[in-house]
Amino acid sequence: MTTVRRTLDVVTPLPLLLAAQGLGVMGSAAYSVAALWTLKAGGGDDRLLAVAGALFALPALLLGVLAGQLADRVDRKGILVLAPLACAAVLGGVVWLAQGTTVAMTVPLLLAGVLLNVALTFDEPAFLASLPELASEGELGRVNALHQLLTSAGSIGGALLGGVLAGWGVGAAATAGLFAYLLCFLLVPLTRWPARAVVLASSGAPRPNLRELWRLLPPALRQLVVLVCAFITFAAPMPALLPALVHDQLQLGPQALGTLEAAFGGGFVLGGGLALLGVRPRRLAGLGVAVLVAGAVRLGLSVAPTLPVSAGLLLLGGAAVAVASIAAMTQLQEGAPATSRGALLGAVSSLLAGATPLGLGLATAALPTLGLPGILQGTGMVLLLLGLGALLRGRR
């Protein structure tokens, strides 16, 4: 007989933990915007940026399952303390190396992005798997929405800060990210919380493997995961294409890149606010509507003539994705067994990370032939077809 209990009877102050997550996102966003702009301005073509995006997704692809399994076996609070400390160490290395030329910094910037994502790969399942234990009954959806709001606010602030600091060099943005992660590292130990669900199994029964966990999911959730993976495959090139959109199509500077990143993050804030108010898509059809909106946004961006139009489209796309992702994550957290929740969420993260380099690879291969407008239009049409299929299937 297996029972589950909390290691402490004191419920964690969730706002403090959520604030720490938001600070971490801010640090990552500031560094990411400055690093991508440095690579682009230093003569890197769009294929280099696409390769960078694929490299940054590799840690979640290769380590997502391991990170999720680890989150089910060790103190999750310890993971959330060590992950931001590792990120701060990586950004400290960038600051130290930032005196080199742009060309000399290409490999360090790519390596730093990979190492940052290694740490964040272990952080994500530990945090997400902890939320059902920390949230009050019936409030998990609202907690996820609040998490989305705070991390989106961090993304906006970090993107704007990174756009400004990119003009002073990537070292300045890395310094800002370093201090953000150090503050995040200091916040988590201040909290008291049920470190994890402790399994007391006298029978010694093994934990279910990933195939068994997949079978335990209701068919609707399995369809949801499949659709999300397909969506990410064709939506993944967008972050890597934003510098090209700003530099080549709009012919603007790094502040404009920060503005577009902030607009997309603002969409997630808007979506999180709507989710807090109870706007949550139901089942597959709801996610299909969000994918349709994302496809329409891609088509609009391919012909967007000005920065305000591009920012407005990204705001709309971010809001649609946020509302759907909050609902999907809540259903996965509630549907997974408590003792294997980290493993399941880590596996889903790994699947999504696998879809990212696939999409980037397809976009990279087609970019010399189709160009930026062609890539946006092609992926937009595919997303429209995916969304329509999900909408029709979900209404059966």
Side-chain angles (χ1 to χ4, degrees), residues 91-189:
L91 292 176
V94 173
V95 174
W96 181 60
L97 293 172
Q99 300 302 317
T101 64
T102 302
V103 175
M105 284 297 291
T106 299
V107 173
L109 289 179
L110 294 176
L111 180 60
V114 171
L115 293 177
L116 279 175
N117 281 280
V118 168
L120 296 176
T121 294
F122 284 89
D123 180 89
E124 182 179 14
F127 179 77
L128 293 177
S130 299
L131 286 185
E133 300 295 324
L134 305 177
S136 302
E137 185 175 356
E139 290 296 312
L140 181 58
R142 292 185 181 275
V143 170
N144 280 324
L146 181 58
H147 176 226
Q148 184 70 75
L149 279 171
L150 291 175
T151 54
S152 297
S155 179
I156 292 172
L160 291 173
L161 183 62
V164 172
L165 294 180
W168 295 351
V170 70
T175 300
L178 167 63
F179 282 107
Y181 274 116
L182 285 177
L183 185 55
C184 176
F185 162 73
L186 293 174
L187 281 177
V188 177

Side-chain angles (χ1 to χ4, degrees), residues 242-266:
L242 279 182
L245 178 67
V246 172
H247 190 274
D248 300 336
Q249 182 169 312
L250 300 178
Q251 297 183 351
L252 298 173
Q255 289 82 4
L257 177 59
T259 299
L260 290 187
E261 294 275 5
F264 192 60

Side-chain angles (χ1 to χ4, degrees), residues 4 6 14 17 21 64 67-77 79-80 121-135 140 143-144 147 193-198 329 332-334 336-347:
V4 178
R6 291 179 175 179
L14 273 171
L17 288 175
Q21 290 286 307
Q69 292 174 339
L70 185 67
D72 288 329
R73 288 166 169 76
V74 303
D75 184 347
R76 290 172 181 160
K77 182 177 180 180
I79 296 176
L80 297 180
T121 294
F122 284 89
D123 180 89
E124 182 179 14
F127 179 77
L128 293 177
S130 299
L131 286 185
E133 300 295 324
L134 305 177
L140 181 58
V143 170
N144 280 324
H147 176 226
W193 79 333
R196 64 185 176 100
V198 178
M329 178 55 66
L332 283 173
Q333 289 168 318
E334 292 176 339
T339 56
S340 302
R341 189 181 297 122
L344 178 61
L345 294 176

